[in-house]
Amino acid sequence: MRHYFLRIFIPVFIILLCSCSSLEKDGKGEREYFTIEDEERVKTLLQENPSDFYLNRTLWSIYTEKGQWDSLINATRPVFYRTSGNREQERLHLYAGAFISQAYVFLEQFDSAAFYLDRMSLLQDSEIWQQDHTLYALVSNAEAIINLKTELNYSAALEHYEEAYKAISTTGDTPNMTTILCNIASIYYNMRDSSGFRWARTAYELAQEDGMRAYVKALSAILLAQMYYLKGDLDAALSISDRVSHSIDLFPQFKSSLELLYADIFYEKGELGKADMYYQKAMRHEEQTDNGTNILVRLRYGTYLMGIHEPYKAKEILEQGLGISFEKKNMEFRNQLLYTLSEVNLELGDEKASLDYYKQYHASMDSISHVQKERAFQQYRLLQQEHEIQNKEIELLKSNRRIILIASGALFLAVMAAALVIVNRRQNKSYRKLVEVHQQLLSRMESIRDAGMQQNAGKNDQDSALWEKLEKLMNTEHIYRYHDISLDKIASMLGTNRTYISRIINNFSGTTFSNYIHNRRIEDASRILSDTGQDMPMKAIADILGYNSISSFYRAFLKETGVPPSKYREEVLRLKQQQAA
């Protein structure tokens, strides 16, 4: 269980904002250099000259580095509205919009972020917008984070980050270049792709240059440590984490991520006492940390607690994470929380709660969209690699263009094939896990039903007796298979009325009549598909179970289990072959 989640749910460390360069020439020659400790001095100077672009942007950058998002919004919002429509202060207006948008992005108030980005888009034809590469990078950075937080669209985010990097590279702004390199590496890290290590390494090396801000140094070090953890080099990850920990007090927004990394490292090393301590420490910085990280910490801690056989405490922590997810409308780790809570409740023997979370998990999952996004990311990354290879080939084989074109075409086909294979493997792996869980739940539900029948046997209670008769009709005569099954028909069979039998079904099954029939049909379909001794066509199964068409059977089965019927049969067969081996 522990390793399953470690393979899939890698910590997402998204660097949210670009910081100012160390020294500016803002039409007034070289300006005074300010550090994060100079906040009060910058405020004093701004009181004397509130429209000074460099001073405003410096103060906003200080708030950014400190993670003081409310202060940033309070400082930028009046400037944004005061300068609206003022052509002489258009640059200040656009930067205020860029900074306030990114503050709202960090706070995950995406409607507010979109509002300011839309207001700025009205000025995209202006000369400043076209020529200011730092502004363009700031806006691209915000759009990338929105792609990640609201859509989990990694390929679109990666494109925005790379656009931001190209723009900022033309300015020679090394701190911002370093920050965006960290952002790019974080995408690969989130997708568990170790080839992103080179971006993290480059960022870390740039951050060691003289005069680099402490913010950038801490940022790049944490990202590189996370990437070392992903590569399995725990000692290197721990060494870099130790080096950066002494300066982390300056940047409270990083504390939770660093402590979560410590917890994961010690967990992998088997030092459970230290792991537990750091998981708890990581939860104490909720106010300074983004919602996604707060949720992730609880997902990781809950998974850890399951691994050390503390399911009651695991349930409590995981439910905290789910509460934050729903309260903050954050989708980042909701599916994982629902799935893990299903497993925790199954371990605790609460089959009803387990099944409920399991169904919520499937209702939350958008499998087709998820596969498309993964495919897009893989294709985007592989096409990038293809482009790099082609550039090298062009340098070496300029004399033979025809060979290059043929090789490029073959490489493109191979890349596309590889991307499809990767997506297919991941999808099959997901199907296999879903089938395993569903088979376990089926077994549990049958045990519960048998126990209930034995408990009610011989009782004189009228309701229990009627329920027992209904269950007997379901189990022996399979009346749920009837195409014309209805409450009236069942009431007639049992010698009662539809209102009474409806109440009996609601009370004893905990669901409605239609759901009761639906659940029975899906359970029966699962048993038929699990019978390796026969290979009944899907159309025949749909007809036997009372479905009017194979398409309605397909939709119902996929919605309930998360797996198409044909794949369900394949995975059950594979599981049984593995058990027999």
Side-chain angles (χ1 to χ4, degrees):
M1 178 67 200
R2 163 191 173 190
H3 296 292
Y4 172 70
F5 280 98
L6 288 176
R7 286 197 304 270
I8 297 177
F9 308 129
I10 304 303
V12 186
F13 189 82
I14 301 170
I15 313 309
L16 293 172
L17 292 138
C18 304
S19 55
C20 288
S21 55
S22 302
L23 200 61
E24 287 265 338
K25 292 183 180 179
D26 191 26
K28 301 179 182 179
E30 290 189 350
R31 301 293 301 266
E32 181 179 354
Y33 175 86
F34 296 103
T35 68
I36 195 171
E37 290 82 11
D38 294 323
E39 177 182 340
E40 294 305 319
R41 174 162 169 72
V42 175
K43 286 180 180 178
T44 300
L45 292 171
L46 267 174
Q47 289 177 353
E48 300 171 5
N49 192 355
S51 297
D52 186 286
F53 171 78
Y54 174 64
L55 291 174
N56 273 290
R57 200 181 85 167
T58 298
L59 180 62
W60 302 340
S61 294
I62 289 172
Y63 287 143
T64 294
E65 295 186 15
K66 288 184 174 181
Q68 297 176 352
W69 312 114
D70 290 336
S71 297
L72 178 59
I73 291 170
N74 291 335
T76 52
R77 187 159 47 197
V79 175
F80 181 81
Y81 286 105
R82 186 180 73 235
T83 56
S84 179
N86 187 332
R87 301 295 293 183
E88 293 182 0
Q89 293 188 312
E90 187 174 86
R91 189 181 185 207
L92 183 60
H93 174 73
L94 288 170
Y95 268 86
F99 272 90
I100 196 173
S101 299
Q102 295 204 72
Y104 278 123
V105 163
F106 184 88
L107 294 171
E108 298 190 9
Q109 298 178 22
F110 299 113
D111 289 342
S112 297
F115 171 80
Y116 285 98
L117 288 172
D118 288 343
R119 290 285 297 270
M120 292 172 63
S121 69
L122 300 175
L123 298 172
Q124 284 187 357
D125 293 331
S126 71
E127 183 177 343
I128 291 174
W129 186 278
Q130 298 294 327
Q131 296 180 1
D132 194 318
H133 298 292
T134 301
L135 174 65
Y136 181 79
L138 281 165
V139 173
S140 295
N141 201 58
E143 290 173 340
I145 298 161
I146 291 174
N147 286 138
L148 284 170
K149 294 279 188 178
T150 62
E151 303 173 17
L152 298 181
N153 193 333
Y154 302 109
S155 57
L158 187 58
E159 287 187 69
H160 281 305
Y161 280 141
E162 291 189 343
E163 287 175 5
Y165 183 70
K166 289 176 184 176
I168 208 68
S169 295
T170 63
T171 69
D173 185 348
T174 306
N176 275 328
M177 289 168 60
T178 305
T179 302
I180 297 173
L181 284 171
C182 288
N183 289 345
I184 293 172
S186 72
I187 297 288
Y188 287 89
Y189 185 62
N190 182 46
M191 297 300 294
R192 192 169 172 74
D193 187 338
S194 59
S195 63
F197 178 81
R198 63 191 177 106
W199 299 101
R201 187 71 188 178
T202 302
Y204 181 77
E205 290 171 352
L206 285 175
Q208 306 314 306
E209 293 183 5
D210 293 338
M212 290 292 281
R213 303 171 78 94
Y215 174 85
V216 179
K217 289 178 179 289
L219 202 61
S220 60
I222 293 175
L223 200 285
L224 183 61
Q226 290 176 322
M227 290 299 295
Y228 269 122
Y229 168 76
L230 177 60
K231 287 167 67 71
D233 192 341
L234 302 181
D235 290 336
L238 191 58
S239 174
I240 295 174
S241 298
D242 288 342
R243 268 181 264 160
V244 74
S245 62
H246 70 277
S247 61
I248 206 67
D249 286 340
L250 293 171
F251 312 107
Q253 68 270 37
F254 296 163
K255 285 185 177 180
S256 188
S257 293
L258 183 61
E259 285 162 356
L260 176 60
L261 178 59
Y262 270 123
D264 287 337
I265 290 171
F266 288 124
Y267 188 14
E268 283 293 285
K269 283 176 163 286
E271 299 181 38
L272 302 185
K274 288 184 178 179
D276 192 279
M277 177 187 71
Y278 276 106
Y279 280 127
Q280 293 192 46
K281 288 178 69 175
M283 291 197 299
R284 295 173 189 158
H285 307 291
E286 190 168 346
E287 295 299 322
Q288 296 87 16
T289 307
D290 68 287
N291 295 323
T293 302
N294 284 327
I295 295 167
L296 178 60
V297 168
R298 284 155 179 81
L299 173 63
R300 289 296 189 80
Y301 190 26
T303 304
Y304 158 81
L305 290 167
M306 284 184 67
I308 62 171
H309 308 295
E310 292 192 23
Y312 288 101
K313 191 173 180 181
K315 180 180 178 180
E316 177 188 349
I317 298 298
L318 291 165
E319 286 179 342
Q320 287 179 17
L322 190 62
I324 297 171
S325 174
F326 281 111
E327 180 188 351
K328 303 299 183 181
K329 299 179 181 179
N330 184 300
M331 288 290 297
E332 283 180 275
F333 302 102
R334 186 176 298 172
N335 292 340
Q336 296 94 305
L337 285 165
L338 291 169
Y339 183 91
T340 313
L341 278 164
S342 175
E343 290 205 334
V344 169
N345 280 282
L346 194 62
E347 185 173 336
L348 291 171
D350 190 343
E351 288 83 2
K352 188 177 183 304
S354 176
L355 186 59
D356 181 56
Y357 279 121
Y358 182 71
K359 288 182 178 180
Q360 287 186 61
Y361 166 71
H362 287 300
S364 179
M365 281 279 285
D366 184 353
S367 300
I368 296 175
S369 174
H370 178 72
V371 169
Q372 287 175 338
K373 287 169 185 174
E374 287 215 354
R375 182 188 293 119
F377 173 78
Q378 294 295 343
Q379 289 176 344
Y380 185 83
R381 183 179 68 80
L382 291 169
L383 288 173
Q384 278 186 314
Q385 293 176 355
E386 176 200 358
H387 181 67
E388 292 175 6
I389 293 170
Q390 286 178 341
N391 285 341
K392 293 177 182 178
E393 288 179 345
I394 289 170
E395 293 175 6
L396 296 173
L397 304 172
K398 285 183 179 179
S399 61
N400 198 333
R401 293 179 178 271
R402 184 168 177 272
I403 294 176
I404 294 173
L405 289 173
I406 293 172
S408 299
L411 181 59
F412 178 79
L413 291 175
V415 165
M416 295 298 289
L420 291 174
V421 167
I422 291 169
V423 171
N424 188 57
R425 284 180 178 174
R426 290 191 176 185
Q427 188 179 46
N428 286 337
K429 195 173 185 180
S430 175
Y431 285 156
R432 192 166 305 131
K433 188 64 181 176
L434 291 173
V435 170
E436 287 179 2
V437 173
H438 191 254
Q439 289 276 302
Q440 293 172 9
L441 289 172
L442 278 178
S443 177
R444 294 274 186 152
M445 292 305 293
E446 288 176 2
S447 300
I448 293 169
R449 187 175 291 119
D450 291 343
M453 291 292 288
Q454 292 175 10
Q455 185 177 359
N456 291 326
K459 283 188 176 181
N460 294 322
D461 179 80
Q462 185 177 350
D463 289 358
S464 298
L466 188 58
W467 172 251
E468 185 178 343
K469 288 180 181 179
L470 174 59
E471 285 284 275
K472 187 174 181 180
L473 283 174
M474 293 291 173
N475 295 333
T476 59
E477 299 184 27
H478 309 297
I479 61 172
Y480 54 82
R481 293 181 174 183
Y482 294 0
H483 283 265
D484 60 345
I485 191 68
S486 66
L487 273 172
D488 289 326
K489 193 174 188 70
I490 291 177
S492 177
M493 290 178 179
L494 296 172
T496 184
N497 60 69
R498 60 174 289 133
T499 303
Y500 186 43
I501 195 62
S502 175
R503 180 171 64 81
I504 293 296
I505 291 172
N506 290 341
N507 289 344
F508 280 84
S509 72
T511 188
T512 63
F513 166 73
S514 58
N515 283 337
Y516 175 64
I517 297 299
H518 166 76
N519 292 338
R520 279 288 192 163
R521 286 176 172 176
I522 296 301
E523 286 180 35
D524 202 356
S526 301
R527 283 191 288 269
I528 294 171
L529 293 170
S530 300
D531 185 355
T532 56
Q534 55 89 9
D535 190 19
M536 189 183 298
M538 294 298 163
K539 190 176 187 308
I541 296 176
D543 186 60
I544 286 173
L545 293 174
Y547 290 98
N548 294 322
S549 67
I550 189 172
S551 59
S552 60
F553 166 59
Y554 183 95
R555 286 194 300 272
F557 193 88
L558 179 62
K559 181 179 179 181
E560 181 65 24
T561 66
V563 184
S566 57
K567 291 297 297 183
Y568 192 97
R569 174 181 276 164
E570 288 178 19
E571 294 303 332
V572 169
L573 178 60
R574 185 176 286 108
L575 285 171
K576 290 188 176 181
Q577 288 173 342
Q578 289 176 353
Q579 292 168 0

